[in-house]
Amino acid sequence: MIHGGTKVLPFGLALGLALGLATTDGAQAQIRMGVGGPMTGGSAAFGAQLKQGVEQAVADINAAGGIMGQKIELSAGDDRGDPKEGVSVANKFAADGVKFVVGHFNSGVTMPASEVYQDNGMLSVTPAATNPKITERKMWNMFRVCGRDDQQGGMAGAIIADRFKGKRVAVIHDKTTYGQGLADETRKAMNAKGVKEVLYEGVNKDDKDFTALVSKLKAANPDLVYWGGLHDTGGLILRQMRDQGVKAPMMGGDGMADDEFASIAGPGAEGTLMTFSPDPRTNPKNAAIVEVFRKRGFEPQAYTLYSYAGVQIIKAAIEQAKSTDPKKVAAVMASGKPFDTVLGTLSFDKKGDVSNDGYLVDGKKKDRYVLYVWKKGPDGKLSYFEAE
């Protein structure tokens, strides 16, 4: 396993790397890669998804001989969901000679970290950060395999306008780059379709007592509460809503996509709506890799396979570029060439976003976002399932 910034190889591959490929000067050839995310703190469930996904991809690639005969040496950095910690992680990666990074999770962390990566000639692929500004800054080194808040918010706003036309909708957010950004995009889209919110309110993401907010919700009497934020705070708000008699369903975005949301929110989470990218666990071609995770006791939900795909793309781009120079690798990625991944086939536009084709899975186009509903699965546990 990987702890903090210590470099160790996952799943017992240390011997394989120790035998490594010798360079012309006798030194061991390695491709240094980092995974950055909130390994501790309120978003640690998502940090685990990123870390597990990258670890498994590295293990699989190294076991198959590496990239152009070189093994990947992996480092992990815990940014705790804090921008300053993210910059510290980025600087440590740079000092350690890391050239390729999968991360980070939070948009507010990804942006300052990516600037460090750009200054140090490092390429970064985020599996999860959705704020539009991440790829609107004309940076050569920043890519993402997920969608954007303006895409997700546009879809969410359209769903609200369709399903809750003439109803009372409250919009709340956690004041973060991601949470408020998504809430504002959703509000803008639903407003454009004739639905005006009855309450718009921001809360602090680290708060635990939402009595004042719930009182405002009770006064507003909403038919739907839209939440822009992560699963831990959203779960607490929903539990306190139910405890105080607010029965309106909650709707949120991809920041809620971990089963821990239902654990925090309680049984009142049933019926919650959520927008998230296509779930690669449902692709029959991924049955074997999904089973690998499950046998280890880790459910590869949400961003696990998105992180795995980030490593797959870096490998393919290095091989196509015939170089481990991050700028040459980035040029291949930005060229529009398709990459076959656990997410399906995808390509990037010049900004570093998934192109307008979205994800091609078994010859069928999958949009960047689909609607999910939280309900009890066959095992009786609450989780998210694609809506009918």
Side-chain angles (χ1 to χ4, degrees):
M1 300 297 287
I2 302 178
H3 299 281
T6 304
K7 298 176 187 173
V8 293
L9 282 175
F11 316 118
L13 290 174
L15 177 60
L17 181 55
L19 297 174
L21 176 72
T23 61
T24 53
D25 63 0
Q28 184 176 292
Q30 297 171 338
I31 294 172
R32 294 186 174 178
M33 186 177 294
V35 53
M39 309 305 175
T40 59
S43 301
F46 290 110
Q49 293 171 8
L50 270 61
K51 183 165 167 284
Q52 292 274 353
V54 172
E55 281 184 351
Q56 187 61 55
V58 168
D60 292 344
I61 290 168
N62 280 348
I67 303 174
M68 297 196 308
Q70 300 180 52
K71 298 294 178 74
I72 302 171
E73 182 184 14
L74 186 61
S75 304
D78 180 10
D79 62 37
R80 297 182 225 171
D82 179 271
K84 291 181 181 178
E85 293 289 338
V87 169
S88 295
V89 167
N91 280 320
K92 187 170 193 319
F93 282 164
D96 289 346
V98 169
K99 292 299 180 184
F100 303 95
V101 177
V102 177
H104 292 235
F105 170 70
N106 306 81
S107 293
V109 176
T110 302
M111 282 195 274
S114 65
E115 292 170 4
V116 175
Y117 300 144
Q118 179 178 241
D119 291 345
N120 287 277
M122 301 156 68
L123 183 150
S124 179
V125 179
T126 174
T130 52
N131 189 278
K133 291 179 182 177
I134 286 167
T135 49
E136 294 288 344
R137 295 170 295 160
K138 299 181 179 178
M139 297 171 71
W140 66 267
N141 68 319
M142 191 71 237
F143 297 83
R144 62 174 144 208
V145 292
C146 57
R148 297 163 42 128
D149 289 337
D150 46 359
Q151 297 159 349
Q152 183 173 198
M155 177 196 174
I159 290 169
I160 291 170
D162 177 53
R163 296 193 174 205
F164 293 89
K165 184 177 181 180
K167 302 291 187 179
R168 301 173 65 81
V169 180
V171 177
I172 54 179
H173 62 79
D174 64 1
K175 301 180 184 176
T176 65
T177 303
Y178 162 72
Q180 184 167 357
L182 178 57
D184 287 348
E185 291 290 348
T186 301
R187 180 172 68 152
K188 182 169 71 174
M190 72 181 205
N191 286 172
K193 291 183 175 291
V195 178
K196 182 76 173 70
E197 68 278 4
V198 295
L199 178 70
Y200 177 80
E201 192 76 20
V203 298
N204 296 315
K205 68 180 182 66
D206 295 322
D207 284 354
K208 298 291 185 284
D209 183 355
F210 297 101
T211 303
L213 172 67
V214 175
S215 293
K216 290 180 181 180
L217 287 171
K218 290 176 81 170
N221 191 27
D223 298 297
L224 176 73
V225 176
Y226 185 84
W227 166 241
L230 299 181
H231 76 297
D232 52 338
T233 310
L236 281 175
I237 291 172
L238 184 54
R239 181 178 284 274
Q240 292 177 37
M241 283 168 51
R242 296 292 182 262
D243 287 348
Q244 296 182 48
V246 179
K247 297 179 180 179
M250 178 177 274
M251 179 177 179
D254 52 335
M256 294 165 63
D258 190 279
D259 285 348
E260 195 175 75
F261 167 72
S263 300
I264 295 169
E270 190 165 7
T272 296
L273 299 173
M274 181 182 79
T275 49
F276 181 53
S277 299
D279 188 346
R281 291 178 298 176
T282 63
N283 182 354
K285 290 184 178 180
N286 292 334
I289 185 63
V290 168
E291 189 59 26
V292 168
F293 284 102
R294 287 175 175 167
K295 282 183 176 178
R296 295 207 328 269
F298 187 82
E299 180 59 37
Q301 58 186 321
Y303 292 110
T304 308
L305 292 177
Y306 281 77
S307 302
Y308 190 104
V311 183
Q312 288 181 306
I313 290 166
I314 291 169
K315 174 184 182 290
I318 288 173
E319 291 172 342
Q320 289 184 39
K322 297 181 173 60
S323 172
T324 57
D325 179 340
K327 286 197 174 182
K328 292 180 180 178
V329 176
V332 169
M333 292 171 63
S335 69
K337 291 183 179 181
F339 295 94
D340 291 322
T341 76
V342 291
L343 306 179
T345 303
L346 61 89
S347 59
F348 296 102
D349 62 22
K350 297 295 185 184
K351 294 178 181 178
D353 287 315
V354 174
S355 71
N356 288 333
D357 293 332
Y359 311 95
L360 194 65
V361 180
D362 283 340
K364 297 178 181 177
K365 181 179 176 181
K366 279 273 192 177
D367 290 332
R368 295 183 189 88
Y369 289 99
V370 293
L371 181 66
Y372 294 84
V373 61
W374 286 79
K375 61 183 181 181
K376 289 179 181 176
D379 58 2
K381 293 181 180 178
L382 273 175
S383 190
Y384 56 92
F385 299 87
E386 194 165 335
E388 304 265 325

